[in-house]
Amino acid sequence: MEHIEKEATVVRKSELTVQTGETEHYRIYCYFTNTPVRNFELFYVELDANSSNATIGHSEKAQEYIYVVEGELVLHTEMGDHTLKQGDALVFDSSMDHTYINQQNFLLSFIVVNFYPN
């Protein structure tokens, strides 16, 4: 089993590999992956103007924390829609399918933490 990192780790966006969703309008940068001693993932996400990206549900009991850096995000789930503006945050049960929607005419950027309880 891995041990907790004793040294500081710097991750530079310029060194990350960008991942895309169903289209190139959705870009995600993974800063930290989950490990045996880290039960979360940290992502920076960009969604182009007037576009969306659907995501299948994560593992059972997974929770997703979202913080909007810039723009306005509409998060669609089977439980309804949630609109978040710059500086707003939300946590939800991410084991269900969900869709990120940007209805604005400019880039949306947000932070996602996927948490996987033990």
Side-chain angles (χ1 to χ4, degrees), residues 14-66:
S14 61
E15 298 170 355
L16 297 176
T17 301
V18 64
Q19 304 166 39
T20 57
E22 57 189 13
T23 70
E24 292 184 6
H25 296 291
Y26 174 82
R27 294 169 301 282
I28 187 163
Y29 302 84
C30 182
Y31 281 80
F32 296 99
T33 60
N34 62 329
T35 68
V37 295
R38 183 186 306 127
N39 59 346
F40 69 90
E41 300 167 318
L42 176 67
F43 298 97
Y44 173 76
V45 183
E46 296 176 339
L47 184 57
D48 290 337
N50 301 303
S51 60
S52 65
N53 188 79
T55 302
I56 60 169
H58 304 296
S59 61
E60 184 181 357
K61 297 183 184 176
Q63 296 175 324
E64 186 166 314
Y65 294 79
I66 298 174

Side-chain angles (χ1 to χ4, degrees), residues 64-67 73 75 82 84 88-92:
E64 186 166 314
Y65 294 79
I66 298 174
Y67 173 82
L73 167 68
L75 178 74
H82 302 279
L84 304 173
D88 291 346
L90 166 80
V91 61
F92 71 101

Side-chain angles (χ1 to χ4, degrees), residues 57-109:
H58 304 296
S59 61
E60 184 181 357
K61 297 183 184 176
Q63 296 175 324
E64 186 166 314
Y65 294 79
I66 298 174
Y67 173 82
V68 176
V69 176
E70 188 172 358
E72 182 178 291
L73 167 68
V74 176
L75 178 74
H76 173 75
T77 71
E78 64 188 49
M79 303 300 287
D81 291 351
H82 302 279
T83 301
L84 304 173
K85 297 184 181 200
Q86 182 176 339
D88 291 346
L90 166 80
V91 61
F92 71 101
D93 173 358
S94 59
S95 65
M96 66 182 99
D97 295 352
H98 46 285
T99 303
Y100 308 107
I101 304 166
N102 181 2
Q103 298 174 335
Q104 306 300 308
N105 292 322
F106 46 86
L107 180 72
L108 164 65
S109 60

